[in-house]
């Protein structure tokens, strides 16, 4: 099956610093990747959709200058939380849709294991 | 507009009993429907999907779901629950031709030994 990895799995940073989270599709190419944020006991909220080689599309209310997304290749997207504050503490999950590769289904999104960000 | 409703925050079932986790959806066009499971501090794992064809779809770990167009529902079922099925379950919908998945608020399933 399709595997999506995220790194790091957990990160603790000080307020005001920036944190980068990587999302990789390991055995398939992903034209489109998605970044979600999940608060405790709540559903996933889509933050942005990134397409390889173009600018990300952000959902309403998500600050694009604060949450920088780079989708530089068909297997890698990064989310950088800039000047992090305690309210940015959350569980961030990336997801990828298949465009080609070993697994051929175009319908499914495969999710990474998530990154727990804690800003102190 | 797309939306998904999971009316139950919590479902408790005894081990060995059948379980049902409810989901209803709203889309303008044809729906693609999905169930995902999430274990603590983990990402989402795909369970099953309905795209077209048979209304009853079978997925991972013995789960199945039935697409009911008239009731706009896609309830998740399993004939005999296991303690290890205890987790958070999300229903999701994507309208045919659209890019994004919309998730329900999740249902926490607890299987009691």
């Amino acid at each position: 099956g399709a595997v999506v990895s995220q790194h790091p799995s957990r990160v603790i940073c000080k307020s005001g610093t920036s944190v980068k989270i990587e999302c990789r599709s390991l055995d398939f190419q992903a034209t489109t990747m998605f970044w979600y944020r999940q608060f405790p006991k709540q559903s996933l909220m889509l933050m942005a959709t990134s397409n390889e080689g173009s600018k990300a599309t952000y959902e309403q209310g998500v600050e694009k200058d604060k949450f920088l997304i780079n989708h530089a290749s068909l297997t890698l997207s990064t989310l950088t939380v800039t000047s992090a504050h305690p309210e940015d503490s959350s569980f961030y999950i990336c997801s990828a849709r298949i465009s080609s590769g070993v697994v051929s289904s175009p319908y499914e999104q495969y999710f990474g294991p998530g990154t727990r960000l804690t800003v102190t | 507009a797309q939306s998904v409703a999971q009316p139950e925050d919590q479902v408790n079932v005894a081990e060995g009993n059948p379980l049902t986790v409810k989901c209803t959806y709203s889309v303008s066009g044809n729906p693609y429907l999905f169930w995902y499971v999430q274990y603590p501090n983990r990402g989402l794992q795909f369970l099953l999907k309905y795209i077209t064809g048979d209304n009853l779809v079978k997925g991972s770990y013995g789960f199945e779901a039935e697409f009911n167009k008239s009731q706009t529902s896609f309830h998740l079922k399993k004939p005999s629950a296991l303690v290890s099925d205890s987790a958070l379950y999300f229903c999701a919908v994507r309208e045919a031709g659209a890019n994004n998945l919309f998730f329900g608020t999740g249902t926490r399933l607890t299987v009691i030994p």
Side-chain angles (χ1 to χ4, degrees):
Chain A
V3 178
V4 176
S5 70
Q6 272 184 251
H7 178 80
S9 57
R10 287 178 178 271
V11 58
I12 300 173
C13 71
K14 292 186 177 180
S15 187
T17 61
S18 296
V19 174
K20 181 186 282 188
I21 302 170
E22 290 187 350
C23 176
R24 293 181 185 273
S25 57
L26 298 186
D27 52 2
F28 65 97
Q29 294 177 327
T31 306
T32 305
M33 287 187 171
F34 305 87
W35 286 96
Y36 294 85
R37 183 173 179 177
Q38 186 180 28
F39 292 99
K41 300 183 180 180
Q42 293 190 25
S43 188
L44 280 71
M45 292 178 52
L46 180 65
M47 298 175 65
T49 302
S50 75
N51 292 295
E52 185 264 339
S54 62
K55 291 184 178 180
T57 302
Y58 290 81
E59 295 299 301
Q60 192 171 9
V62 178
E63 300 176 57
K64 62 180 181 181
D65 294 330
K66 181 168 186 60
F67 298 99
L68 300 178
I69 291 172
N70 184 8
H71 192 159
S73 76
L74 287 172
T75 59
L76 173 64
S77 176
T78 60
L79 168 67
T80 302
V81 183
T82 62
S83 187
H85 289 97
E87 56 266 31
D88 299 324
S89 298
S90 192
F91 195 51
Y92 292 86
I93 303 174
C94 75
S95 176
R97 276 184 64 187
I98 293 166
S99 57
S100 66
V102 175
V103 184
S104 61
S105 170
Y107 302 108
E108 293 157 30
Q109 280 181 224
Y110 293 89
F111 288 80
T115 297
R116 172 76 57 194
L117 169 63
T118 303
V119 185
T120 60
Chain B
Q2 306 167 65
S3 66
V4 178
Q6 291 181 244
E8 301 157 317
D9 291 336
Q10 175 83 41
V11 169
N12 296 326
V13 64
E15 185 177 22
N17 282 2
L19 70 86
T20 299
V21 182
K22 295 179 181 178
C23 172
T24 58
Y25 66 90
S26 175
V27 296
S28 302
N30 291 325
Y32 296 158
L33 294 154
F34 305 83
W35 275 102
Y36 290 87
V37 59
Q38 185 181 34
Y39 295 97
N41 294 310
R42 303 287 296 275
L44 274 65
Q45 295 180 33
F46 170 78
L47 278 180
L48 52 78
K49 68 179 184 289
Y50 171 82
I51 304 298
T52 187
D54 283 343
N55 289 343
L56 184 65
V57 293
K58 295 184 183 296
S60 307
Y61 312 120
F63 284 94
E64 59 187 32
E66 185 166 13
F67 170 60
N68 188 316
K69 188 173 183 178
S70 62
Q71 297 184 4
T72 61
S73 67
F74 190 58
H75 302 329
L76 181 70
K77 299 183 180 184
K78 186 172 182 179
S80 178
L82 300 173
V83 173
S84 57
D85 292 330
S86 299
L88 188 57
Y89 290 80
F90 288 99
C91 181
V93 67
R94 176 152 55 88
E95 188 174 338
N99 211 19
N100 303 338
L101 271 179
F102 284 84
F103 286 87
T105 50
T107 298
R108 184 162 300 282
L109 172 68
T110 301
V111 181
I112 303 164

